[in-house]
Amino acid sequence: MGLIFHSIEAYHLALKAGTVSCEEAVAHYLTAIDRQKDLNAYLRVYGAEALEKARVLDGRRKAGEPMGKLHGVVIGIKDVIAYKGHGLTAASRILEDYVSIYNATAVGKLLAEEAIIIGALNCDEFAMGSSNENSAFGNVLNARCKDRVPGGSSGGSAVAVQAGLCMVSLGSDTGGSVRQPADFCGILGLKPSYGRVSRYGLIAYASSFDVIGIFGKTVADVASILEVISGEDEFDSTVKRGGGPSISADARAEFATMVDQADDRKYRIAYFKEALEHPGLDEEMRTAILDRTGEWKAAGHTVEAIDFELLDYIVPAYYVLTTAEASSNLARFDGVRYGYRTPATDLELTEFYKRTRSQGFGKEVQRRILLGTFVLSAGYYDAYFTKAQQVRQLLVERTELIFKDFDIIILPTAPSTAWRIGEKTDDPISMYLADIYTVYANLTGIPGISLPLFVHTNGMPFGLQAMTNRFNEVSLLQFSHRMMQQ
Ligand code: GLN
């Protein structure tokens, strides 16, 4: 049964042939979820509702009605993405009992194409973290090795696909939260360009970085989901409007060409010398990636090491800017309008806010709100916030120059394979530094994907990260498909 669900295409063929039904698909995943509860990937499972929806779809298909692009596709969503009438916690106590009153645009688009949302997935609280250990509802286990972390912040979304608990899933990526857990779990994780997918209904962490991303097992599946969820939206003015290549316009045609015919395009590939030479990068991972670039060269692609002297500035710039934005975005969780409120009734207002927020938010979220408030404070604004913005601008300019000469930038996705649970929890700085290879794409707004190409001798998978220029997802997916086939 599992094989039928290996790709959306295989599943749709089986549905059309009548060898499987949507109801059987949902039942299959519900059983799998139940059997692997210990992974803690799902915060809530919408079993009865998903089965009911599947029966309705089966009925419509059998009656000869046309199938939506995602007819019966079983999807899990990270619990920072709004689904009307369903809980939405951001894995935080402060939103524990909150129920969403509207759909995120991405969710609305999935449902319009007849996808079935089977449940909400665990993550780091407010998407802040790299290991899923910051969830108020317990950590998620890496299915490949249960004493290791799945990565974060979209750890539940990665494990759900890794362990076969849904076909594809949605996460969010502010600084690597889709690519890094995909890397740790041995699956594909795509962060689209900033402004490709509407952020409406995505709980904000750092609004100028946040984007909804996709986990899957095949490039074609990831492309199908991207095609559905991307596109302009009257509720998010930062989404790209008209003009320029749009995924929905050309993805299908180009993708079909690429799959049907041998793609013999020769790519111009760059990597950052400082990134591959970085002392923090695992030696075996460095060798595997460099060996692979050797194979690409032999196949006729150009691969060049380029200087990237800004590498050491990107993690500090990222943490200054994102904590600043977070301190402002999270100000709305004050216990007055909605969400958790301290039970104490005898407090004056400031004390009431303090008590509510200290009880409602976990340690990491509090740390970031404090840090963000500090970097925005009058005496320090220029030294930190303005400086970090200047670094961001330099990165954008440098990136534009690089893409004049190259089609693809490659980097490791993370400096090591998944670490052991608890290994970095007392050392937030070392956890932040592990984001060294992913935050670059968020600072510059370009799309990035983690491709599951390698297995370490420690038994854990690791990926290779590829990036293209902004809004060039079609090339990125074509390149990815090609690399996955070799
Ligand atoms: N690990 C990064 C952070 O904690 C990325 C998080 C994300 O992409 N949501 O900020």
Side-chain angles (χ1 to χ4, degrees):
M1 186 71 96
L3 270 185
I4 296 177
F5 308 132
H6 183 72
S7 74
I8 296 175
E9 197 189 358
Y11 172 50
H12 277 180
L13 284 174
L15 284 177
K16 283 179 196 153
T19 50
V20 77
S21 66
C22 297
E23 186 176 352
E24 283 169 316
V26 170
H28 164 85
Y29 285 108
L30 289 175
T31 309
I33 292 169
D34 202 48
R35 280 206 193 116
Q36 300 187 74
K37 269 207 184 106
D38 61 320
L39 298 173
N40 203 21
Y42 281 89
L43 291 178
R44 291 178 308 283
V45 179
Y46 310 134
E49 182 189 323
L51 281 170
E52 179 52 32
K53 174 123 195 238
R55 282 183 213 113
V56 171
L57 290 175
D58 285 334
R60 283 201 222 146
R61 192 180 61 259
K62 283 176 191 150
E65 287 184 32
M67 287 162 61
K69 283 182 196 156
L70 300 177
H71 182 93
V73 173
V74 179
I75 299 185
I77 57 173
K78 182 176 181 179
D79 206 18
V80 289
I81 302 174
Y83 183 16
K84 189 175 177 176
H86 297 77
L88 180 63
T89 69
S92 179
R93 292 270 172 230
I94 214 156
L95 283 176
E96 192 164 2
D97 300 316
Y98 180 71
V99 173
S100 180
I101 52 171
Y102 66 100
N103 277 333
T105 298
V107 166
K109 288 180 177 217
L110 292 177
L111 296 174
E113 292 296 343
E114 301 178 341
I116 299 175
I117 295 177
I118 196 164
L121 294 158
N122 203 349
C123 56
D124 282 303
E125 185 177 6
F126 284 97
M128 296 175 184
S130 307
S131 65
N132 217 129
E133 292 166 292
N134 299 335
S135 167
F137 308 115
N139 58 315
V140 176
L141 311 185
N142 191 316
R144 186 77 74 105
C145 172
K146 290 186 183 169
D147 55 5
R148 291 185 188 260
V149 301
S153 64
S154 317
S157 303
V159 169
V161 171
Q162 175 198 37
L165 312 181
C166 61
M167 288 177 193
V168 283
S169 66
L170 294 188
S172 65
D173 193 313
T174 303
S177 281
V178 168
R179 290 158 290 155
Q180 184 256 23
D183 173 83
F184 281 12
C185 293
I187 58 170
L188 286 154
L190 172 73
K191 173 202 111 62
S193 305
Y194 180 78
R196 176 62 88 186
V197 180
S198 171
R199 287 178 294 111
Y200 182 69
L202 167 66
I203 292 181
Y205 161 13
S207 309
S208 75
F209 294 73
D210 297 341
V211 62
I212 291 178
I214 304 155
F215 293 91
K217 283 191 170 154
T218 72
V219 178
D221 282 2
V222 170
S224 304
I225 302 295
L226 182 67
E227 188 189 357
V228 168
I229 65 173
S230 59
E232 63 182 81
D233 181 10
E234 61 172 310
F235 297 120
D236 178 1
S237 61
T238 60
V239 179
K240 184 176 168 55
R241 279 159 207 271
S246 122
I247 280 285
S248 19
D250 52 22
R252 268 186 194 274
E254 284 211 38
F255 215 78
T257 317
M258 171 187 95
V259 176
D260 295 345
Q261 300 165 11
D263 173 9
D264 63 355
R265 189 185 310 180
K266 301 292 177 227
Y267 289 96
R268 296 168 303 163
I269 303 162
Y271 67 83
F272 301 158
K273 192 156 71 58
E274 288 78 358
L276 268 290
E277 283 172 2
H278 200 277
L281 175 61
D282 178 280
E283 196 55 49
E284 192 179 324
M285 293 170 70
R286 181 193 345 267
T287 311
I289 292 172
L290 289 175
D291 285 354
R292 187 60 60 102
T293 63
E295 290 169 26
W296 293 344
K297 278 190 207 163
H301 303 289
T302 318
V303 186
E304 271 180 48
I306 57 172
D307 292 327
F308 193 76
E309 59 300 328
L310 293 165
L311 190 71
D312 285 341
Y313 300 99
I314 60 178
V315 170
Y318 169 82
Y319 276 95
V320 168
L321 294 172
T322 52
T323 54
E325 292 190 26
S327 71
S328 158
N329 275 328
L330 272 59
R332 72 192 72 174
F333 303 106
D334 56 10
V336 176
R337 284 165 281 197
Y338 48 77
Y340 173 82
R341 155 182 313 191
T342 181
T345 49
D346 54 344
L347 305 172
E348 52 88 23
L349 192 62
T350 308
E351 199 46 43
F352 165 83
Y353 283 148
K354 276 193 199 163
R355 192 79 66 88
T356 295
R357 288 164 67 84
S358 310
Q359 291 170 350
F361 288 132
K363 283 261 167 314
E364 182 62 24
V365 174
Q366 291 186 37
R367 181 182 292 126
R368 295 196 190 198
I369 293 173
L370 292 171
L371 190 60
T373 310
F374 174 74
V375 301
L376 288 175
S377 59
Y380 296 97
Y381 190 96
D382 281 342
Y384 296 108
F385 190 72
T386 309
K387 241 316 162 274
Q389 274 184 313
Q390 288 165 342
V391 171
R392 190 175 200 184
Q393 185 55 32
L394 279 177
L395 287 167
V396 169
E397 287 164 14
R398 181 89 174 87
T399 304
E400 272 165 23
L401 287 180
I402 296 171
F403 284 120
K404 286 201 162 79
D405 296 325
F406 297 94
D407 308 308
I408 306 278
I409 297 174
I410 57 153
L411 288 178
T413 306
S416 72
T417 55
W419 54 84
R420 295 198 185 272
I421 292 167
E423 201 177 315
K424 291 189 199 281
T425 34
D426 295 332
D427 186 357
I429 302 283
S430 88
M431 187 95 85
Y432 298 169
L433 287 172
D435 295 336
I436 182 166
Y437 300 126
T438 46
V439 296
Y440 166 68
N442 305 79
L443 281 157
T444 55
I446 62 174
I449 191 165
S450 183
L451 306 171
L453 294 178
F454 308 104
V455 179
H456 198 276
T457 47
N458 67 12
M460 297 309 290
F462 64 98
L464 177 91
Q465 185 185 189
M467 287 158 275
T468 53
N469 208 351
R470 196 153 169 216
F471 298 120
N472 211 349
E473 280 90 345
V474 173
S475 298
L476 183 62
L477 292 167
Q478 287 176 324
F479 174 80
S480 302
H481 186 73
R482 180 96 172 269
M483 297 306 141
M484 292 288 290
Q485 281 180 327
Q486 285 176 345

